[in-house]
Amino acid sequence: MLEIKLDELTFDKCLKCNACVSSCPVANTTLEFGGPKHLGPELKRLMNNQGIIDDKRIELCTLCGSCDMSCPENVHVTTLTAFAKAIHSVKSGTKFRDIVLSNAEWVGKLASAFAPVTNLAMGMKPVRKVMEMVMDIPAERQFPKYRFHNFNRVYKKKTASTERKVAYFSGCYATFNAPEVAMSFIKVMEHNGIEVVKPDQKCCGVPMFANGQMNQGLKNANHNITSFLEYTRQGYDVVLTCTSCTLAFKKEYVAFLNTDEAKELASHVYDADEYLRLLKESSELNMNFAPMKVRAGYYAPCHMKAQGIGNPAMDILELIPGFKIQDVGAGCCGQCGTFGFKTEKYDVSMAIGRPMAEAVKEVDADYTVTECGMCKNQLDQLTEKPVRHPMQIVAESYERTRVLS
């Protein structure tokens, strides 16, 4: 049974001002969602007076974190809605599809083991039609490709000897779908004289939290905390290339577990671009960038904004001579992790993402830059521009310098 630790979560500061509702991409797209205020602090008030309440509308919450950022009283609305999702899962059950989607790591392991066949099958309309009929996964939804030579197969380093050293959490997307992102990060660190290790790790848990599988997600969280603390206590910094994974390590583990260990780990965690910015600020960053005559548009993932650290990707990429980057200024992409892979939510997902697609088209850059693999999936589906991770661009600039020298 789910152990719900709601007593320590603050909700009484909620002013009912609707700031969270106005910033919620789902509430601004469909009236079917009750909104973060109603399904967060107000539902918590009701539960305090009436006992546990299951509200089916919570399925429409994406846990994007926009409500937390907009709240003038710093109410942790996302934490409340995450537990409401867990309550709904326990009370009403979870679809087999949602269990599959919540286990991104196991899906990645299986799909990448048969990658050529997996990718071929997922690209066939009849197969996708069957998936829609059997599992309620929309036939129109584009899927990221899986890679047989995934990151787990090609990188196994466990110890480092440099002065600065990094314990890297690659996440499911960079591991199974885009190992080139992970390897680009390794190369960027090498150009800065920093060795990178890959500790034992499990999925960050974000897909599990989003699908109400709180107990399973917390098991993964505790595993990752224990594994990475072994490294931070030896002087390693923890760096991640996925904004959703970073937010989990920085905030969600602390909010959901409320343990000293979770707080200790969070103090050593950095997004990859944030880490490069830290190196720049301490005059440790290798500034030997080769020029790149590129016009790029930057799309900021919701889970990057929710970290409250600005736009470190733009701060770093602007250091490359000739590289011009512009924030497309768009809201949520609408993919929202597993949210956009569900038939009943597909139309909402597309509606949320259309303003982003229009913004990308208006900027008309050479390509779009974003840190989030799922945002890339939506960008790939809704726009015609190529999409790259910041680490790929930084690595390319460094590599060009090496070739020229």
Side-chain angles (χ1 to χ4, degrees), residues 35 114 195 251 270 360 391:
F114 303 95
E195 291 183 359
K251 178 184 175 184
Y270 303 90
V360 169
M391 290 300 106

Side-chain angles (χ1 to χ4, degrees), residues 32 155 167-168:
E32 293 181 17
Y155 200 84
Y168 175 44

Side-chain angles (χ1 to χ4, degrees), residues 257-314:
L257 291 168
N258 195 29
T259 62
D260 291 338
E261 290 79 10
K263 295 172 185 176
E264 180 184 349
L265 178 61
S267 67
H268 296 279
V269 173
Y270 303 90
D271 170 78
D273 298 296
E274 179 189 16
Y275 193 65
L276 292 183
R277 189 173 64 185
L278 173 69
L279 296 179
K280 171 67 169 58
E281 291 170 351
S282 60
S283 301
E284 298 176 65
L285 181 66
N286 178 0
M287 296 293 292
N288 196 16
F289 296 112
M292 295 177 65
K293 292 184 178 180
V294 172
R295 286 185 62 252
Y298 172 66
Y299 174 73
C302 293
H303 286 169
M304 169 56 75
K305 297 174 185 175
Q307 293 177 47
I309 58 175
N311 281 339
M314 291 185 65

Side-chain angles (χ1 to χ4, degrees), residues 25 64 66 158 172 214 252 302 309 339 366 392:
C64 69
S66 297
K158 296 295 183 183
C172 297
M214 180 64 73
E252 291 176 346
C302 293
I309 58 175
F339 183 90
D366 298 319
Q392 293 177 283

